[in-house]
Amino acid sequence: MRRLAAGIVLILLISMTVVGCSSQRSSLKPPDEPPEITITIGDREIEYIAAKNEWNGAEYDREDTFRTILAPDSDIEVPYIIIGEIAEVSFENNPPEDFYILDMIINKDGSRMYDNRVTEEIPVELKDGKCSFEIKKNMASLLSSYYEPNKKDLRGIRMIASWGENECEYAFVIKTDAY
């Protein structure tokens, strides 16, 4: 009788383990579309755009996200942010497996002012689908030979998120003090 009870308990434990592992695996399924995120800096919610790079086997050839944000017909507001403020990024659901953030100085049309060598990667780690980082001075701002007191930089923040083979870019633009 004890062997039968021990056998039943063992079978139940194995069944629960298999069911638990398979349900955990299904929760890691890549999303059908890039999930919504929330970006706040200080007490302001920051407007952004999401654009697919590769999704479900398709590669996307699209306009640069910063050019889209700064296009004349865009309704996206570009806020002025004080150096030292904290940006918080939160995935509503299904956070990515990989996530990194790039900060670059851009022109008024959204094109990069400098090449990739001076693009700054901001180190972040997603924890429970959230991360935060400080808005610091961008050293590329010092490269300009044209000095202007009270100069403001346009900064493009590009966040690359991936779920396996699926990759998308979340982007926003801010103005900060240059020096």
Side-chain angles (χ1 to χ4, degrees):
M1 191 63 153
R2 282 188 191 163
R3 284 188 180 177
L4 180 61
I8 291 172
V9 169
L10 182 62
I11 290 171
L12 286 172
L13 286 174
I14 292 172
S15 298
M16 288 173 28
T17 302
V18 169
V19 169
C21 288
S22 65
S23 68
Q24 186 176 17
R25 223 178 286 121
S26 67
S27 70
L28 298 177
K29 178 183 167 244
D32 293 329
E33 292 293 325
E36 294 292 319
I37 65 172
T38 302
I39 304 167
T40 55
I41 301 178
D43 60 353
R44 286 183 271 190
E45 189 165 325
I46 305 300
E47 295 179 87
Y48 70 92
I49 62 170
K52 297 174 189 172
N53 292 334
E54 280 187 59
W55 209 265
N56 294 332
E59 289 188 30
Y60 290 81
D61 182 23
R62 56 175 173 73
E63 181 177 53
D64 182 271
T65 51
F66 302 139
R67 288 182 186 267
T68 303
I69 291 169
L70 295 173
D73 61 344
S74 172
D75 292 334
I76 295 178
E77 177 190 347
V78 176
Y80 168 75
I81 302 297
I82 297 171
I83 300 293
E85 288 196 72
I86 303 298
E88 296 180 358
V89 179
S90 176
F91 282 82
E92 305 295 320
N93 56 44
N94 206 346
E97 297 165 15
D98 293 312
F99 186 70
Y100 63 96
I101 301 175
L102 303 171
D103 176 4
M104 59 203 75
I105 305 292
I106 59 175
N107 293 305
K108 291 177 184 176
D109 68 353
S111 63
R112 291 177 186 216
M113 190 169 283
Y114 306 105
D115 64 25
N116 284 337
R117 291 178 291 177
V118 293
T119 297
E120 294 184 8
E121 184 166 348
I122 300 171
V124 294
E125 184 178 333
L126 281 177
K127 187 170 184 172
D128 298 324
K130 298 177 182 179
C131 70
S132 61
F133 60 95
E134 182 180 354
I135 303 297
K136 297 180 178 181
K137 290 184 180 183
N138 187 307
M139 291 298 123
S141 181
L142 299 172
L143 296 175
S144 176
S145 60
Y146 176 69
Y147 175 77
E148 176 185 327
N150 302 316
K151 180 179 177 251
K152 303 287 184 249
D153 282 332
L154 270 180
R155 310 247 309 258
I157 309 296
R158 181 169 284 150
M159 302 177 289
I160 308 296
S162 60
W163 298 259
E165 298 297 315
N166 291 341
E167 180 184 275
C168 107
E169 174 181 318
Y170 298 90
F172 64 96
V173 174
I174 58 175
K175 290 178 198 165
T176 64
D177 292 323
Y179 307 109

Short mmCIF file of all heavy atoms in Angstrom, two decimals, residues 58-98:
data_model
loop_
_atom_site.label_atom_id
_atom_site.label_comp_id
_atom_site.label_asym_id
_atom_site.label_seq_id
_atom_site.Cartn_x
_atom_site.Cartn_y
_atom_site.Cartn_z
N ALA A 58 10.26 38.73 -41.43
CA ALA A 58 10.28 39.85 -42.39
C ALA A 58 11.24 40.93 -41.89
O ALA A 58 11.28 41.24 -40.71
CB ALA A 58 8.88 40.44 -42.55
N GLU A 59 12.03 41.49 -42.83
CA GLU A 59 12.90 42.62 -42.51
C GLU A 59 12.22 43.89 -43.00
O GLU A 59 11.66 43.90 -44.09
CB GLU A 59 14.26 42.45 -43.19
CG GLU A 59 15.08 41.35 -42.56
CD GLU A 59 16.50 41.31 -43.09
OE1 GLU A 59 17.03 42.38 -43.47
OE2 GLU A 59 17.05 40.21 -43.13
N TYR A 60 12.28 44.94 -42.19
CA TYR A 60 11.56 46.17 -42.51
C TYR A 60 12.53 47.24 -42.99
O TYR A 60 13.51 47.55 -42.32
CB TYR A 60 10.78 46.66 -41.29
CG TYR A 60 9.61 45.75 -40.98
CD1 TYR A 60 9.78 44.56 -40.29
CD2 TYR A 60 8.35 46.08 -41.42
CE1 TYR A 60 8.72 43.71 -40.05
CE2 TYR A 60 7.27 45.24 -41.17
CZ TYR A 60 7.47 44.06 -40.49
OH TYR A 60 6.41 43.23 -40.24
N ASP A 61 12.23 47.80 -44.15
CA ASP A 61 12.98 48.93 -44.70
C ASP A 61 12.08 50.14 -44.50
O ASP A 61 11.06 50.29 -45.17
CB ASP A 61 13.26 48.69 -46.18
CG ASP A 61 14.08 49.80 -46.80
OD1 ASP A 61 14.77 50.51 -46.04
OD2 ASP A 61 14.01 49.97 -48.03
N ARG A 62 12.43 50.98 -43.57
CA ARG A 62 11.55 52.08 -43.16
C ARG A 62 12.36 53.33 -42.94
O ARG A 62 13.58 53.30 -42.88
CB ARG A 62 10.79 51.70 -41.91
CG ARG A 62 11.73 51.30 -40.78
CD ARG A 62 11.06 51.04 -39.48
NE ARG A 62 11.99 50.50 -38.52
CZ ARG A 62 12.94 51.19 -37.92
NH1 ARG A 62 13.10 52.46 -38.18
NH2 ARG A 62 13.75 50.62 -37.05
N GLU A 63 11.65 54.43 -42.76
CA GLU A 63 12.29 55.70 -42.45
C GLU A 63 12.92 55.62 -41.06
O GLU A 63 12.41 54.94 -40.17
CB GLU A 63 11.25 56.82 -42.49
CG GLU A 63 11.82 58.19 -42.20
CD GLU A 63 10.77 59.28 -42.32
OE1 GLU A 63 9.71 59.17 -41.68
OE2 GLU A 63 11.03 60.24 -43.06
N ASP A 64 14.01 56.32 -40.87
CA ASP A 64 14.65 56.39 -39.57
C ASP A 64 13.67 56.95 -38.54
O ASP A 64 12.94 57.91 -38.83
CB ASP A 64 15.90 57.28 -39.66
CG ASP A 64 16.63 57.35 -38.34
OD1 ASP A 64 16.31 58.24 -37.53
OD2 ASP A 64 17.52 56.50 -38.12
N THR A 65 13.65 56.38 -37.36
CA THR A 65 12.68 56.78 -36.33
C THR A 65 12.83 58.24 -35.92
O THR A 65 11.84 58.92 -35.67
CB THR A 65 12.80 55.88 -35.09
OG1 THR A 65 14.17 55.83 -34.67
CG2 THR A 65 12.30 54.48 -35.37
N PHE A 66 14.06 58.75 -35.85
CA PHE A 66 14.24 60.15 -35.45
C PHE A 66 13.70 61.09 -36.53
O PHE A 66 13.12 62.13 -36.23
CB PHE A 66 15.70 60.46 -35.16
CG PHE A 66 16.30 59.60 -34.06
CD1 PHE A 66 17.58 59.09 -34.19
CD2 PHE A 66 15.58 59.28 -32.93
CE1 PHE A 66 18.13 58.31 -33.19
CE2 PHE A 66 16.12 58.49 -31.93
CZ PHE A 66 17.41 58.00 -32.07
N ARG A 67 13.90 60.74 -37.78
CA ARG A 67 13.35 61.55 -38.88
C ARG A 67 11.82 61.56 -38.82
O ARG A 67 11.19 62.58 -39.07
CB ARG A 67 13.82 61.03 -40.23
CG ARG A 67 15.28 61.31 -40.50
CD ARG A 67 15.69 60.80 -41.88
NE ARG A 67 17.10 60.93 -42.11
CZ ARG A 67 17.68 61.96 -42.70
NH1 ARG A 67 16.95 62.98 -43.11
NH2 ARG A 67 18.98 62.01 -42.87
N THR A 68 11.23 60.42 -38.48
CA THR A 68 9.77 60.33 -38.35
C THR A 68 9.27 61.24 -37.22
O THR A 68 8.31 61.97 -37.38
CB THR A 68 9.33 58.88 -38.08
OG1 THR A 68 9.82 58.05 -39.15
CG2 THR A 68 7.83 58.75 -37.98
N ILE A 69 9.96 61.20 -36.08
CA ILE A 69 9.56 62.02 -34.94
C ILE A 69 9.66 63.51 -35.25
O ILE A 69 8.80 64.29 -34.87
CB ILE A 69 10.41 61.66 -33.70
CG1 ILE A 69 10.06 60.25 -33.20
CG2 ILE A 69 10.23 62.69 -32.58
CD1 ILE A 69 11.02 59.70 -32.15
N LEU A 70 10.72 63.90 -35.98
CA LEU A 70 10.97 65.32 -36.25
C LEU A 70 10.39 65.80 -37.57
O LEU A 70 10.58 66.96 -37.94
CB LEU A 70 12.47 65.59 -36.20
CG LEU A 70 13.11 65.40 -34.82
CD1 LEU A 70 14.62 65.51 -34.90
CD2 LEU A 70 12.55 66.36 -33.80
N ALA A 71 9.66 64.95 -38.27
CA ALA A 71 9.05 65.35 -39.55
C ALA A 71 8.08 66.51 -39.32
O ALA A 71 7.46 66.61 -38.26
CB ALA A 71 8.32 64.17 -40.17
N PRO A 72 7.94 67.40 -40.32
CA PRO A 72 7.04 68.55 -40.16
C PRO A 72 5.60 68.17 -39.81
O PRO A 72 4.92 68.91 -39.10
CB PRO A 72 7.10 69.24 -41.52
CG PRO A 72 8.40 68.80 -42.12
CD PRO A 72 8.65 67.43 -41.59
N ASP A 73 5.13 67.02 -40.28
CA ASP A 73 3.75 66.62 -40.00
C ASP A 73 3.61 65.77 -38.73
O ASP A 73 2.53 65.28 -38.43
CB ASP A 73 3.17 65.87 -41.20
CG ASP A 73 3.94 64.61 -41.53
OD1 ASP A 73 5.08 64.43 -41.05
OD2 ASP A 73 3.39 63.77 -42.28
N SER A 74 4.68 65.63 -37.96
CA SER A 74 4.63 64.83 -36.73
C SER A 74 3.97 65.62 -35.60
O SER A 74 4.17 66.82 -35.46
CB SER A 74 6.05 64.44 -36.30
OG SER A 74 6.03 63.83 -35.03
N ASP A 75 3.19 64.93 -34.80
CA ASP A 75 2.54 65.54 -33.64
C ASP A 75 3.29 65.24 -32.34
O ASP A 75 2.81 65.57 -31.25
CB ASP A 75 1.11 65.01 -33.50
CG ASP A 75 0.22 65.49 -34.63
OD1 ASP A 75 0.50 66.55 -35.21
OD2 ASP A 75 -0.77 64.78 -34.95
N ILE A 76 4.45 64.61 -32.46
CA ILE A 76 5.19 64.23 -31.26
C ILE A 76 5.94 65.43 -30.70
O ILE A 76 6.69 66.10 -31.40
CB ILE A 76 6.16 63.07 -31.57
CG1 ILE A 76 5.35 61.82 -31.95
CG2 ILE A 76 7.06 62.79 -30.38
CD1 ILE A 76 6.18 60.62 -32.32
N GLU A 77 5.72 65.70 -29.42
CA GLU A 77 6.37 66.82 -28.74
C GLU A 77 7.78 66.39 -28.33
O GLU A 77 8.00 65.29 -27.85
CB GLU A 77 5.59 67.19 -27.48
CG GLU A 77 6.24 68.27 -26.67
CD GLU A 77 5.58 68.48 -25.31
OE1 GLU A 77 4.49 67.95 -25.09
OE2 GLU A 77 6.20 69.16 -24.48
N VAL A 78 8.74 67.28 -28.52
CA VAL A 78 10.13 67.05 -28.10
C VAL A 78 10.36 67.88 -26.84
O VAL A 78 10.50 69.10 -26.92
CB VAL A 78 11.12 67.42 -29.21
CG1 VAL A 78 12.55 67.26 -28.72
CG2 VAL A 78 10.87 66.59 -30.46
N PRO A 79 10.41 67.23 -25.68
CA PRO A 79 10.52 67.99 -24.43
C PRO A 79 11.96 68.39 -24.11
O PRO A 79 12.92 67.73 -24.52
CB PRO A 79 10.01 66.99 -23.39
CG PRO A 79 10.39 65.66 -23.94
CD PRO A 79 10.24 65.80 -25.44
N TYR A 80 12.09 69.49 -23.36
CA TYR A 80 13.38 69.90 -22.81
C TYR A 80 13.56 69.15 -21.50
O TYR A 80 12.67 69.15 -20.64
CB TYR A 80 13.41 71.41 -22.56
CG TYR A 80 14.60 71.84 -21.75
CD1 TYR A 80 15.87 71.89 -22.32
CD2 TYR A 80 14.46 72.16 -20.40
CE1 TYR A 80 16.97 72.27 -21.56
CE2 TYR A 80 15.55 72.54 -19.64
CZ TYR A 80 16.80 72.58 -20.22
OH TYR A 80 17.89 72.94 -19.47
N ILE A 81 14.70 68.49 -21.34
CA ILE A 81 14.99 67.70 -20.16
C ILE A 81 16.25 68.23 -19.49
O ILE A 81 17.27 68.47 -20.16
CB ILE A 81 15.19 66.21 -20.52
CG1 ILE A 81 13.94 65.64 -21.22
CG2 ILE A 81 15.57 65.38 -19.30
CD1 ILE A 81 12.68 65.62 -20.39
N ILE A 82 16.21 68.39 -18.20
CA ILE A 82 17.36 68.87 -17.43
C ILE A 82 18.34 67.72 -17.22
O ILE A 82 17.92 66.60 -16.87
CB ILE A 82 16.91 69.45 -16.07
CG1 ILE A 82 16.00 70.66 -16.31
CG2 ILE A 82 18.10 69.81 -15.19
CD1 ILE A 82 15.32 71.18 -15.06
N ILE A 83 19.62 67.98 -17.46
CA ILE A 83 20.65 66.98 -17.22
C ILE A 83 20.55 66.52 -15.76
O ILE A 83 20.41 67.34 -14.85
CB ILE A 83 22.06 67.56 -17.50
CG1 ILE A 83 22.19 68.01 -18.96
CG2 ILE A 83 23.16 66.57 -17.11
CD1 ILE A 83 22.14 66.91 -19.98
N GLY A 84 20.59 65.22 -15.56
CA GLY A 84 20.50 64.66 -14.21
C GLY A 84 19.15 64.03 -13.90
O GLY A 84 19.02 63.30 -12.93
N GLU A 85 18.14 64.33 -14.74
CA GLU A 85 16.83 63.71 -14.51
C GLU A 85 16.91 62.21 -14.81
O GLU A 85 17.76 61.78 -15.58
CB GLU A 85 15.74 64.37 -15.35
CG GLU A 85 15.37 65.76 -14.86
CD GLU A 85 14.06 66.24 -15.44
OE1 GLU A 85 13.01 65.72 -15.02
OE2 GLU A 85 14.10 67.14 -16.30
N ILE A 86 16.00 61.47 -14.22
CA ILE A 86 15.98 60.02 -14.38
C ILE A 86 14.88 59.62 -15.35
O ILE A 86 13.73 60.03 -15.19
CB ILE A 86 15.76 59.31 -13.02
CG1 ILE A 86 16.84 59.72 -12.01
CG2 ILE A 86 15.69 57.80 -13.20
CD1 ILE A 86 18.27 59.35 -12.40
N ALA A 87 15.25 58.82 -16.34
CA ALA A 87 14.29 58.26 -17.29
C ALA A 87 13.93 56.85 -16.82
O ALA A 87 14.81 56.09 -16.40
CB ALA A 87 14.89 58.21 -18.69
N GLU A 88 12.65 56.53 -16.89
CA GLU A 88 12.19 55.19 -16.52
C GLU A 88 11.44 54.59 -17.71
O GLU A 88 10.59 55.25 -18.30
CB GLU A 88 11.28 55.26 -15.30
CG GLU A 88 12.02 55.75 -14.07
CD GLU A 88 11.14 55.84 -12.83
OE1 GLU A 88 9.93 55.55 -12.92
OE2 GLU A 88 11.69 56.21 -11.78
N VAL A 89 11.80 53.36 -18.04
CA VAL A 89 11.18 52.63 -19.15
C VAL A 89 10.52 51.41 -18.55
O VAL A 89 11.12 50.68 -17.75
CB VAL A 89 12.23 52.19 -20.19
CG1 VAL A 89 11.59 51.41 -21.32
CG2 VAL A 89 13.00 53.39 -20.72
N SER A 90 9.26 51.19 -18.94
CA SER A 90 8.50 50.07 -18.40
C SER A 90 7.73 49.37 -19.51
O SER A 90 6.96 50.01 -20.23
CB SER A 90 7.53 50.57 -17.32
OG SER A 90 6.74 49.53 -16.84
N PHE A 91 7.95 48.07 -19.65
CA PHE A 91 7.18 47.27 -20.60
C PHE A 91 5.88 46.87 -19.93
O PHE A 91 5.88 46.35 -18.81
CB PHE A 91 7.97 46.03 -21.04
CG PHE A 91 9.01 46.34 -22.05
CD1 PHE A 91 10.25 46.85 -21.66
CD2 PHE A 91 8.76 46.15 -23.40
CE1 PHE A 91 11.21 47.16 -22.60
CE2 PHE A 91 9.72 46.46 -24.35
CZ PHE A 91 10.94 46.97 -23.95
N GLU A 92 4.76 47.15 -20.60
CA GLU A 92 3.44 46.83 -20.05
C GLU A 92 3.32 45.32 -19.83
O GLU A 92 2.73 44.89 -18.84
CB GLU A 92 2.34 47.31 -20.99
CG GLU A 92 2.42 48.79 -21.35
CD GLU A 92 2.21 49.71 -20.16
OE1 GLU A 92 1.34 49.42 -19.32
OE2 GLU A 92 2.92 50.73 -20.08
N ASN A 93 3.84 44.54 -20.78
CA ASN A 93 3.83 43.08 -20.66
C ASN A 93 4.90 42.54 -21.60
O ASN A 93 5.43 43.26 -22.43
CB ASN A 93 2.45 42.50 -20.99
CG ASN A 93 1.97 42.91 -22.37
OD1 ASN A 93 2.72 42.88 -23.34
ND2 ASN A 93 0.72 43.30 -22.48
N ASN A 94 5.23 41.28 -21.44
CA ASN A 94 6.15 40.56 -22.30
C ASN A 94 7.45 41.31 -22.55
O ASN A 94 7.76 41.69 -23.69
CB ASN A 94 5.45 40.22 -23.63
CG ASN A 94 6.07 38.99 -24.26
OD1 ASN A 94 7.14 38.55 -23.87
ND2 ASN A 94 5.40 38.47 -25.25
N PRO A 95 8.26 41.55 -21.51
CA PRO A 95 9.53 42.25 -21.70
C PRO A 95 10.45 41.47 -22.64
O PRO A 95 10.35 40.25 -22.74
CB PRO A 95 10.11 42.34 -20.29
CG PRO A 95 9.40 41.33 -19.49
CD PRO A 95 8.07 41.09 -20.13
N PRO A 96 11.35 42.16 -23.31
CA PRO A 96 12.23 41.49 -24.27
C PRO A 96 13.31 40.66 -23.58
O PRO A 96 13.63 40.87 -22.41
CB PRO A 96 12.86 42.66 -25.03
CG PRO A 96 12.83 43.79 -24.07
CD PRO A 96 11.59 43.60 -23.26
N GLU A 97 13.90 39.76 -24.37
CA GLU A 97 15.02 38.95 -23.87
C GLU A 97 16.29 39.79 -23.82
O GLU A 97 17.09 39.66 -22.92
CB GLU A 97 15.23 37.75 -24.79
CG GLU A 97 14.06 36.80 -24.83
CD GLU A 97 14.12 35.83 -26.00
OE1 GLU A 97 15.19 35.68 -26.63
OE2 GLU A 97 13.07 35.23 -26.29
N ASP A 98 16.47 40.65 -24.84
CA ASP A 98 17.63 41.54 -24.90
C ASP A 98 17.14 42.97 -25.07
O ASP A 98 16.16 43.22 -25.78
CB ASP A 98 18.53 41.17 -26.09
CG ASP A 98 19.20 39.82 -25.91
OD1 ASP A 98 19.76 39.59 -24.83
OD2 ASP A 98 19.16 39.01 -26.85
#
